[in-house]
């Protein structure tokens, strides 16, 4: 079972080795989709993820992390195949619906799988460090995929999708070799609905868990939406398509560093200051690219990329230390549910704004939104930490 950890690193590497990340918006634009339609794909993905987020977490708690991750990877593979063969908007909608299902079954399950594997050996305190390493493997995979994908896209915008199907297949093979953590094999004796009720009550009546769930959901949703604007921003500033992958690699290296050294940075700064850094980093990068339109904008995006990598290990460690193994996947899935709900609300609105006003003004609006909503969430979380609630 100790091999789970090294296998998990390679699962992250290949599962995140997505060759079409640097060009997926351009791919859909080549299919005559506008910003509103592209954001609607994000919305439909979020709707399906939202609908299955909590049931998938309960499935993982009852039937095992390995089975759930395997199912997630199979569904993801089917989604990519649909995008390759699809020619119409409705096919892309269906593909993104499958992505939503795949993400629901993966969300929280992979984190619970890793934490429970460590718990079997009394190594829970290493979770933040090992989660950071695993996430950095994911970012490395995405970086490799981005560099190669940029060059593949210069040949054909559909070619990166074909290569992604290969790496998803490899990750499926790796998942099939996992061993189920012993901690996760202790099934709840409660009924399915009672299990959910208890996990939901703990999520929303435990003030610290509720605050961190809202904080994570909002920050991740903003980062995901912002990502949809990066490629048009690069194109707007005259950067050639073949360089997109190299640029994404640079961004991902910064995300990787944020994730890999999150435990070290938090050790030096403390949890409170670490949490404060996140919304300011996200708002700063959005503000910079909204004001400055030039090729140097690739550097202005770096604070947001750091926040992307830094956010996950810090917040998931905070949640994992406060919940039991039998409810871990369900509670983390509740966080994914909240994030999906925020994406459903925010992505169509910001996509519509980008169509009817301008990309720059939408980026500025998003930066202000981060400060108006994110900072009060930080204040609430810090007050709860100070009071020990």
């Amino acid at each position: 079972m100790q091999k789970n950890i090294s296998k998990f690193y390679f699962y992250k590497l290949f599962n995140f080795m997505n060759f079409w990340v640097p060009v997926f918006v351009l791919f859909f634009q080549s299919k005559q989709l506008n910003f509103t339609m592209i954001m609607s794909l994000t919305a439909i993905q979020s709707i399906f993820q939202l609908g299955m987020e909590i049931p998938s977490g309960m499935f993982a708690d009852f039937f095992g992390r390995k089975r759930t991750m395997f199912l997630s990877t199979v569904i993801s593979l089917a989604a990519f195949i649909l995008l390759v063969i699809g020619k119409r908007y409705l096919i892309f909608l269906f593909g993104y619906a499958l992505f939503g299902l795949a993400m629901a079954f993966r969300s929280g399950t992979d984190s619970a799988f890793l934490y429970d594997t460590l718990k079997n050996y009394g190594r829970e305190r290493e979770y933040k460090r090992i989660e950071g390493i695993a996430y950095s493997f994911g970012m490395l995979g995405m970086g490799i995929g981005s560099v190669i994908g940029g060059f593949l896209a210069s040949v054909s915008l559909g070619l990166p999708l074909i290569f992604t199907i290969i790496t998803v297949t490899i990750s499926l093979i790796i998942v099939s070799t996992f061993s189920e953590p012993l901690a996760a094999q202790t099934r709840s004796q409660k009924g399915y609905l009672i299990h959910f009720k208890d996990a939901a009550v703990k999520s929303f009546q435990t003030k610290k868990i509720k605050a961190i769930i809202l904080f994570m959901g909002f920050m991740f949703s903003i980062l995901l939406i912002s990502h949809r604007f990066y490629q048009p921003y690069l194109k707007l500033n005259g950067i050639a398509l073949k360089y997109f992958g190299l640029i994404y690699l640079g961004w991902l290296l910064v995300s990787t560093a944020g994730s890999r050294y999150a435990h070290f940075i938090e050790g030096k700064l403390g949890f409170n200051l670490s949490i404060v850094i996140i919304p300011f980093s996200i708002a700063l990068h959005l503000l910079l690219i909204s004001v400055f339109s030039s090729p140097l904008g690739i550097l202005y995006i770096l604070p947001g990329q750091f926040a992307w990598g830094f956010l996950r290990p810090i917040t998931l460690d905070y949640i994992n230390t406060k919940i039991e193994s039998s409810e871990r996947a369900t509670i983390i899935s509740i966080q994914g549910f909240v994030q999906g709900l925020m994406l459903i609300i925010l992505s169509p609105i910001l996509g519509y704004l980008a169509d009817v006003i301008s990309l720059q003004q939408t980026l500025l609006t998003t930066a202000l939104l981060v400060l108006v909503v994110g900072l009060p969430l930080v204040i609430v979380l810090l007050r709860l930490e100070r009071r020990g609630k």
Side-chain angles (χ1 to χ4, degrees):
M1 189 174 295
Q2 292 195 52
K3 292 181 179 179
N4 272 354
I5 298 173
S6 57
K7 290 178 182 178
F8 190 79
Y9 293 155
F10 285 100
Y11 160 73
K12 284 285 190 179
L13 178 72
F14 287 103
N15 197 256
F16 278 67
M17 196 176 290
N18 192 319
F19 296 92
W20 84 313
V21 167
V23 295
F24 78 98
V25 175
L26 302 182
F27 170 81
F28 287 126
Q29 288 179 331
S30 74
K31 302 293 182 179
Q32 311 307 312
L33 273 63
N34 59 27
F35 273 123
T36 302
M37 297 171 77
I38 293 169
M39 289 300 185
S40 73
L41 296 179
T42 300
I44 201 70
Q45 174 183 323
S46 299
I47 289 169
F48 276 80
Q49 182 175 352
L50 191 70
M52 285 301 297
E53 189 71 63
I54 296 172
S56 67
M58 294 165 65
F59 182 94
D61 280 336
F62 272 79
F63 300 109
R65 323 298 197 213
K66 175 183 174 179
R67 290 177 182 174
T68 310
M69 293 167 69
F70 186 88
L71 181 59
S72 167
T73 312
V74 169
I75 296 172
S76 181
L77 183 61
F80 277 114
I81 292 172
L82 268 183
L83 295 185
V84 168
I85 65 176
K87 297 183 183 299
R88 297 183 180 181
Y89 174 64
L90 288 178
I91 299 297
F92 299 142
L93 273 180
F94 187 53
Y96 263 70
L98 290 180
F99 277 135
L101 293 177
M103 290 186 68
F105 278 95
R106 188 183 71 188
S107 172
T109 305
D110 53 359
S111 174
F113 173 84
L114 179 59
Y115 193 89
D116 284 332
T117 295
L118 293 170
K119 189 173 183 178
N120 288 337
Y121 300 99
R123 296 174 59 187
E124 303 99 305
R125 292 185 179 181
E126 296 182 54
Y127 170 77
K128 194 187 309 174
R129 179 179 67 84
I130 293 177
E131 173 67 48
I133 295 172
Y135 192 72
S136 68
F137 265 76
M139 292 299 98
L140 174 62
M142 193 176 288
I144 294 170
S146 294
V147 171
I148 298 173
F151 288 101
L152 291 174
S154 65
V155 177
S156 167
L157 284 169
L159 197 56
L161 281 167
I162 297 172
F163 274 69
T164 302
I165 287 173
I166 296 171
T167 55
V168 173
T169 302
I170 294 171
S171 71
L172 182 64
I173 294 169
I174 294 171
V175 170
S176 69
T177 68
F178 283 156
S179 298
E180 187 72 37
L182 296 176
Q185 293 176 16
T186 306
R187 305 289 175 240
S188 172
Q189 298 302 311
K190 299 175 287 188
Y192 209 63
L193 293 178
I194 295 174
H195 174 85
F196 165 66
K197 177 184 174 183
D198 289 348
V201 167
K202 183 173 290 186
S203 297
F204 294 104
Q205 287 190 355
T206 305
K207 293 181 180 179
K208 285 184 179 180
I209 295 178
K210 178 171 68 174
I212 200 71
I213 282 175
L214 292 173
F215 178 78
M216 285 181 70
F218 179 71
M219 291 303 161
F220 271 124
S221 64
I222 289 294
L223 285 168
L224 286 166
I225 291 168
S226 301
H227 188 264
R228 272 61 178 169
F229 296 132
Y230 292 166
Q231 292 162 30
Y233 179 82
L234 296 179
K235 187 177 180 181
L236 182 67
N237 287 287
I239 296 175
L241 183 61
K242 64 181 179 181
Y243 297 123
F244 277 31
L246 292 171
I247 292 168
Y248 264 70
L249 175 61
W251 291 344
L252 290 167
L253 289 175
V254 174
S255 294
T256 300
S259 175
R260 178 65 179 83
Y261 297 105
H263 71 287
F264 175 80
I265 296 170
E266 189 195 0
K268 293 294 184 181
L269 300 180
F271 175 78
N272 291 353
L273 187 54
S274 297
I275 284 293
V276 171
I277 287 173
I278 293 167
F280 278 109
S281 297
I282 296 172
L284 176 63
H285 96 282
L286 290 169
L287 179 63
L288 287 173
I289 61 176
S290 71
V291 174
F292 300 104
S293 182
S294 76
L296 287 176
I298 61 176
L299 300 178
Y300 304 149
I301 291 173
L302 295 182
Q305 294 301 302
F306 168 81
W308 187 290
F310 189 67
L311 176 60
R312 181 179 174 87
I314 297 296
T315 51
L316 281 180
D317 180 71
Y318 185 86
I319 290 179
N320 276 313
T321 56
K322 292 173 172 55
I323 56 180
E324 300 296 327
S325 292
S326 61
E327 298 175 328
R328 181 161 290 118
T330 303
I331 290 178
I332 297 176
S333 289
I334 289 172
Q335 181 275 318
F337 179 89
V338 171
Q339 177 180 316
L341 185 60
M342 291 180 178
L343 270 172
I344 290 170
I345 296 169
L346 293 174
S347 58
I349 294 173
L350 294 174
Y352 177 74
L353 285 177
D355 281 331
V356 299
I357 51 175
S358 72
L359 179 62
Q360 306 295 105
Q361 289 177 313
T362 304
L363 290 167
L364 178 59
T365 301
T366 310
L368 295 175
L369 185 64
V370 172
L371 296 176
V372 170
V373 177
L375 291 183
L377 288 174
V378 168
I379 292 169
V380 169
L381 187 57
L382 296 185
R383 284 179 177 173
L384 292 173
E385 274 294 293
R386 187 168 61 249
R387 296 173 185 171
K389 294 184 178 180

Short mmCIF file of all heavy atoms in Angstrom, two decimals, residues 193-231:
data_model
loop_
_atom_site.label_atom_id
_atom_site.label_comp_id
_atom_site.label_asym_id
_atom_site.label_seq_id
_atom_site.Cartn_x
_atom_site.Cartn_y
_atom_site.Cartn_z
N LEU A 193 -28.57 8.18 3.52
CA LEU A 193 -29.08 9.53 3.73
C LEU A 193 -28.67 10.08 5.09
O LEU A 193 -28.40 11.28 5.22
CB LEU A 193 -30.61 9.54 3.59
CG LEU A 193 -31.14 9.25 2.18
CD1 LEU A 193 -32.66 9.24 2.17
CD2 LEU A 193 -30.61 10.29 1.18
N ILE A 194 -28.61 9.22 6.09
CA ILE A 194 -28.17 9.67 7.42
C ILE A 194 -26.70 10.08 7.38
O ILE A 194 -26.30 11.07 7.99
CB ILE A 194 -28.41 8.58 8.48
CG1 ILE A 194 -29.91 8.31 8.63
CG2 ILE A 194 -27.82 8.97 9.83
CD1 ILE A 194 -30.24 7.15 9.56
N HIS A 195 -25.91 9.32 6.64
CA HIS A 195 -24.50 9.65 6.46
C HIS A 195 -24.36 11.05 5.85
O HIS A 195 -23.56 11.88 6.30
CB HIS A 195 -23.84 8.61 5.55
CG HIS A 195 -22.42 8.93 5.18
ND1 HIS A 195 -21.35 8.60 5.97
CD2 HIS A 195 -21.90 9.56 4.09
CE1 HIS A 195 -20.23 9.00 5.40
NE2 HIS A 195 -20.54 9.60 4.25
N PHE A 196 -25.16 11.30 4.79
CA PHE A 196 -25.10 12.62 4.15
C PHE A 196 -25.55 13.72 5.11
O PHE A 196 -24.93 14.78 5.19
CB PHE A 196 -25.99 12.64 2.90
CG PHE A 196 -26.27 14.02 2.39
CD1 PHE A 196 -25.24 14.80 1.88
CD2 PHE A 196 -27.54 14.56 2.46
CE1 PHE A 196 -25.49 16.09 1.43
CE2 PHE A 196 -27.80 15.84 2.01
CZ PHE A 196 -26.77 16.61 1.50
N LYS A 197 -26.64 13.47 5.83
CA LYS A 197 -27.16 14.47 6.76
C LYS A 197 -26.11 14.84 7.80
O LYS A 197 -25.88 16.02 8.07
CB LYS A 197 -28.41 13.94 7.45
CG LYS A 197 -28.99 14.90 8.49
CD LYS A 197 -30.18 14.27 9.22
CE LYS A 197 -30.64 15.19 10.35
NZ LYS A 197 -31.75 14.58 11.12
N ASP A 198 -25.43 13.83 8.37
CA ASP A 198 -24.42 14.10 9.39
C ASP A 198 -23.25 14.90 8.82
O ASP A 198 -22.73 15.82 9.46
CB ASP A 198 -23.92 12.79 9.99
CG ASP A 198 -24.97 12.11 10.86
OD1 ASP A 198 -25.99 12.77 11.18
OD2 ASP A 198 -24.77 10.94 11.23
N ALA A 199 -22.83 14.53 7.59
CA ALA A 199 -21.72 15.26 6.96
C ALA A 199 -22.11 16.69 6.63
O ALA A 199 -21.32 17.63 6.82
CB ALA A 199 -21.28 14.53 5.69
N ALA A 200 -23.35 16.88 6.15
CA ALA A 200 -23.82 18.23 5.81
C ALA A 200 -23.93 19.09 7.06
O ALA A 200 -23.56 20.27 7.06
CB ALA A 200 -25.16 18.15 5.10
N VAL A 201 -24.45 18.51 8.14
CA VAL A 201 -24.56 19.25 9.40
C VAL A 201 -23.19 19.67 9.89
O VAL A 201 -22.98 20.82 10.31
CB VAL A 201 -25.28 18.39 10.47
CG1 VAL A 201 -25.12 19.01 11.86
CG2 VAL A 201 -26.76 18.26 10.12
N LYS A 202 -22.23 18.76 9.80
CA LYS A 202 -20.86 19.09 10.24
C LYS A 202 -20.28 20.20 9.36
O LYS A 202 -19.57 21.09 9.85
CB LYS A 202 -19.97 17.86 10.20
CG LYS A 202 -18.56 18.10 10.70
CD LYS A 202 -17.76 16.81 10.79
CE LYS A 202 -18.26 15.92 11.90
NZ LYS A 202 -17.40 14.73 12.10
N SER A 203 -20.57 20.17 8.07
CA SER A 203 -20.03 21.16 7.15
C SER A 203 -20.56 22.56 7.43
O SER A 203 -19.82 23.54 7.35
CB SER A 203 -20.34 20.78 5.70
OG SER A 203 -19.73 19.58 5.35
N PHE A 204 -21.85 22.66 7.74
CA PHE A 204 -22.48 23.98 7.84
C PHE A 204 -22.78 24.44 9.27
O PHE A 204 -23.14 25.59 9.47
CB PHE A 204 -23.74 24.01 6.98
CG PHE A 204 -23.43 23.90 5.51
CD1 PHE A 204 -23.65 22.72 4.83
CD2 PHE A 204 -22.88 24.96 4.82
CE1 PHE A 204 -23.34 22.60 3.48
CE2 PHE A 204 -22.56 24.86 3.48
CZ PHE A 204 -22.79 23.69 2.80
N GLN A 205 -22.60 23.54 10.23
CA GLN A 205 -22.73 23.98 11.62
C GLN A 205 -21.38 24.16 12.29
O GLN A 205 -21.28 24.87 13.29
CB GLN A 205 -23.60 23.00 12.42
CG GLN A 205 -25.08 23.09 12.06
CD GLN A 205 -25.95 22.30 13.02
OE1 GLN A 205 -25.48 21.61 13.92
NE2 GLN A 205 -27.26 22.40 12.83
N THR A 206 -20.35 23.53 11.76
CA THR A 206 -18.99 23.78 12.24
C THR A 206 -18.48 25.01 11.50
O THR A 206 -18.22 24.97 10.30
CB THR A 206 -18.07 22.57 11.97
OG1 THR A 206 -18.66 21.40 12.54
CG2 THR A 206 -16.70 22.81 12.58
N LYS A 207 -18.38 26.12 12.22
CA LYS A 207 -18.15 27.42 11.58
C LYS A 207 -16.85 27.46 10.77
O LYS A 207 -16.80 28.05 9.69
CB LYS A 207 -18.17 28.52 12.63
CG LYS A 207 -19.54 28.74 13.26
CD LYS A 207 -19.51 29.87 14.27
CE LYS A 207 -20.89 30.07 14.89
NZ LYS A 207 -20.88 31.18 15.90
N LYS A 208 -15.79 26.85 11.29
CA LYS A 208 -14.51 26.88 10.56
C LYS A 208 -14.61 26.13 9.24
O LYS A 208 -14.10 26.60 8.22
CB LYS A 208 -13.41 26.26 11.43
CG LYS A 208 -12.91 27.15 12.56
CD LYS A 208 -11.76 26.48 13.27
CE LYS A 208 -11.22 27.34 14.40
NZ LYS A 208 -10.10 26.70 15.10
N ILE A 209 -15.26 24.97 9.26
CA ILE A 209 -15.40 24.19 8.03
C ILE A 209 -16.26 24.95 7.03
O ILE A 209 -15.95 25.02 5.83
CB ILE A 209 -15.99 22.80 8.33
CG1 ILE A 209 -15.01 21.99 9.18
CG2 ILE A 209 -16.30 22.06 7.03
CD1 ILE A 209 -15.51 20.62 9.57
N LYS A 210 -17.36 25.54 7.51
CA LYS A 210 -18.22 26.32 6.62
C LYS A 210 -17.46 27.48 5.99
O LYS A 210 -17.57 27.72 4.77
CB LYS A 210 -19.43 26.84 7.38
CG LYS A 210 -20.37 27.70 6.54
CD LYS A 210 -21.66 28.00 7.28
CE LYS A 210 -21.45 28.91 8.46
NZ LYS A 210 -22.72 29.32 9.10
N ALA A 211 -16.67 28.19 6.80
CA ALA A 211 -15.94 29.35 6.29
C ALA A 211 -14.91 28.95 5.25
O ALA A 211 -14.78 29.60 4.20
CB ALA A 211 -15.27 30.09 7.45
N ILE A 212 -14.17 27.85 5.50
CA ILE A 212 -13.13 27.46 4.55
C ILE A 212 -13.75 26.89 3.28
O ILE A 212 -13.22 27.07 2.17
CB ILE A 212 -12.14 26.44 5.19
CG1 ILE A 212 -10.82 26.40 4.40
CG2 ILE A 212 -12.74 25.06 5.28
CD1 ILE A 212 -9.96 27.61 4.56
N ILE A 213 -14.92 26.24 3.38
CA ILE A 213 -15.63 25.73 2.20
C ILE A 213 -16.05 26.90 1.31
O ILE A 213 -15.87 26.86 0.09
CB ILE A 213 -16.84 24.89 2.63
CG1 ILE A 213 -16.39 23.50 3.07
CG2 ILE A 213 -17.86 24.77 1.49
CD1 ILE A 213 -17.50 22.63 3.62
N LEU A 214 -16.61 27.94 1.89
CA LEU A 214 -17.03 29.12 1.11
C LEU A 214 -15.82 29.82 0.49
O LEU A 214 -15.86 30.24 -0.67
CB LEU A 214 -17.81 30.08 2.00
CG LEU A 214 -19.18 29.60 2.48
CD1 LEU A 214 -19.76 30.58 3.49
CD2 LEU A 214 -20.13 29.41 1.30
N PHE A 215 -14.74 29.93 1.26
CA PHE A 215 -13.52 30.58 0.77
C PHE A 215 -12.93 29.81 -0.41
O PHE A 215 -12.63 30.39 -1.46
CB PHE A 215 -12.50 30.68 1.92
CG PHE A 215 -11.19 31.28 1.52
CD1 PHE A 215 -11.06 32.66 1.37
CD2 PHE A 215 -10.08 30.49 1.30
CE1 PHE A 215 -9.85 33.23 1.00
CE2 PHE A 215 -8.86 31.05 0.93
CZ PHE A 215 -8.75 32.42 0.79
N MET A 216 -12.76 28.49 -0.24
CA MET A 216 -12.22 27.66 -1.33
C MET A 216 -13.10 27.72 -2.56
O MET A 216 -12.61 27.87 -3.70
CB MET A 216 -12.10 26.21 -0.87
CG MET A 216 -10.97 25.90 0.08
SD MET A 216 -10.96 24.14 0.51
CE MET A 216 -10.46 23.40 -1.04
N GLY A 217 -14.41 27.58 -2.36
CA GLY A 217 -15.33 27.56 -3.49
C GLY A 217 -15.25 28.84 -4.31
O GLY A 217 -15.20 28.79 -5.54
N PHE A 218 -15.23 29.97 -3.62
CA PHE A 218 -15.19 31.25 -4.34
C PHE A 218 -13.85 31.44 -5.05
O PHE A 218 -13.82 31.82 -6.23
CB PHE A 218 -15.45 32.41 -3.37
CG PHE A 218 -15.41 33.75 -4.01
CD1 PHE A 218 -16.42 34.16 -4.87
CD2 PHE A 218 -14.33 34.60 -3.80
CE1 PHE A 218 -16.37 35.40 -5.49
CE2 PHE A 218 -14.27 35.85 -4.41
CZ PHE A 218 -15.30 36.24 -5.27
N MET A 219 -12.75 31.20 -4.36
CA MET A 219 -11.43 31.44 -4.96
C MET A 219 -11.17 30.52 -6.15
O MET A 219 -10.66 30.95 -7.20
CB MET A 219 -10.33 31.26 -3.90
CG MET A 219 -10.34 32.33 -2.84
SD MET A 219 -10.17 34.00 -3.55
CE MET A 219 -10.78 35.00 -2.19
N PHE A 220 -11.51 29.24 -6.01
CA PHE A 220 -11.30 28.32 -7.13
C PHE A 220 -12.19 28.67 -8.31
O PHE A 220 -11.78 28.56 -9.46
CB PHE A 220 -11.55 26.88 -6.69
CG PHE A 220 -10.33 26.18 -6.15
CD1 PHE A 220 -10.34 25.62 -4.88
CD2 PHE A 220 -9.17 26.09 -6.89
CE1 PHE A 220 -9.23 24.98 -4.37
CE2 PHE A 220 -8.04 25.46 -6.39
CZ PHE A 220 -8.07 24.89 -5.12
N SER A 221 -13.44 29.09 -8.05
CA SER A 221 -14.33 29.44 -9.16
C SER A 221 -13.80 30.65 -9.92
O SER A 221 -13.84 30.69 -11.16
CB SER A 221 -15.75 29.70 -8.65
OG SER A 221 -15.81 30.80 -7.79
N ILE A 222 -13.27 31.64 -9.21
CA ILE A 222 -12.70 32.82 -9.86
C ILE A 222 -11.47 32.44 -10.69
O ILE A 222 -11.30 32.90 -11.83
CB ILE A 222 -12.32 33.89 -8.81
CG1 ILE A 222 -13.58 34.53 -8.21
CG2 ILE A 222 -11.43 34.97 -9.43
CD1 ILE A 222 -14.41 35.34 -9.17
N LEU A 223 -10.62 31.59 -10.15
CA LEU A 223 -9.43 31.16 -10.88
C LEU A 223 -9.80 30.39 -12.14
O LEU A 223 -9.20 30.58 -13.21
CB LEU A 223 -8.53 30.30 -9.98
CG LEU A 223 -7.73 31.06 -8.92
CD1 LEU A 223 -7.11 30.08 -7.92
CD2 LEU A 223 -6.64 31.92 -9.56
N LEU A 224 -10.80 29.52 -12.05
CA LEU A 224 -11.24 28.75 -13.22
C LEU A 224 -11.83 29.66 -14.29
O LEU A 224 -11.57 29.48 -15.49
CB LEU A 224 -12.27 27.71 -12.78
CG LEU A 224 -11.70 26.49 -12.04
CD1 LEU A 224 -12.83 25.70 -11.37
CD2 LEU A 224 -10.92 25.59 -12.99
N ILE A 225 -12.63 30.63 -13.88
CA ILE A 225 -13.22 31.57 -14.85
C ILE A 225 -12.13 32.44 -15.48
O ILE A 225 -12.13 32.66 -16.70
CB ILE A 225 -14.28 32.44 -14.15
CG1 ILE A 225 -15.49 31.59 -13.77
CG2 ILE A 225 -14.73 33.59 -15.07
CD1 ILE A 225 -16.47 32.27 -12.84
N SER A 226 -11.21 32.92 -14.67
CA SER A 226 -10.12 33.77 -15.19
C SER A 226 -9.32 33.04 -16.25
O SER A 226 -8.87 33.64 -17.24
CB SER A 226 -9.20 34.19 -14.04
OG SER A 226 -9.90 34.90 -13.05
N HIS A 227 -9.15 31.74 -16.04
CA HIS A 227 -8.37 30.93 -16.98
C HIS A 227 -8.96 30.98 -18.39
O HIS A 227 -8.22 30.91 -19.38
CB HIS A 227 -8.31 29.49 -16.47
CG HIS A 227 -7.39 28.61 -17.23
ND1 HIS A 227 -7.81 27.79 -18.26
CD2 HIS A 227 -6.04 28.41 -17.13
CE1 HIS A 227 -6.79 27.13 -18.75
NE2 HIS A 227 -5.71 27.48 -18.10
N ARG A 228 -10.28 31.13 -18.48
CA ARG A 228 -10.94 31.19 -19.79
C ARG A 228 -10.58 32.47 -20.55
O ARG A 228 -10.75 32.52 -21.76
CB ARG A 228 -12.46 31.13 -19.63
CG ARG A 228 -13.08 29.75 -19.59
CD ARG A 228 -12.59 28.93 -18.48
NE ARG A 228 -13.24 27.60 -18.44
CZ ARG A 228 -12.83 26.62 -17.67
NH1 ARG A 228 -11.78 26.78 -16.89
NH2 ARG A 228 -13.45 25.46 -17.66
N PHE A 229 -10.09 33.47 -19.86
CA PHE A 229 -9.78 34.75 -20.49
C PHE A 229 -8.30 34.87 -20.90
O PHE A 229 -7.94 35.79 -21.63
CB PHE A 229 -10.13 35.91 -19.56
CG PHE A 229 -11.60 36.03 -19.25
CD1 PHE A 229 -12.03 36.18 -17.95
CD2 PHE A 229 -12.54 36.00 -20.26
CE1 PHE A 229 -13.38 36.30 -17.66
CE2 PHE A 229 -13.89 36.11 -19.99
CZ PHE A 229 -14.32 36.26 -18.68
N TYR A 230 -7.45 33.97 -20.42
CA TYR A 230 -6.02 34.10 -20.68
C TYR A 230 -5.68 33.98 -22.17
O TYR A 230 -4.89 34.76 -22.71
CB TYR A 230 -5.22 33.03 -19.91
CG TYR A 230 -5.22 33.19 -18.41
CD1 TYR A 230 -4.80 32.15 -17.60
CD2 TYR A 230 -5.63 34.37 -17.79
CE1 TYR A 230 -4.79 32.26 -16.21
CE2 TYR A 230 -5.63 34.49 -16.41
CZ TYR A 230 -5.21 33.44 -15.62
OH TYR A 230 -5.19 33.55 -14.26
N GLN A 231 -6.25 32.97 -22.84
CA GLN A 231 -5.89 32.75 -24.24
C GLN A 231 -6.33 33.90 -25.14
O GLN A 231 -5.53 34.36 -25.98
CB GLN A 231 -6.46 31.41 -24.70
CG GLN A 231 -5.81 30.22 -24.03
CD GLN A 231 -6.63 28.96 -24.13
OE1 GLN A 231 -7.37 28.76 -25.09
NE2 GLN A 231 -6.52 28.09 -23.14
#
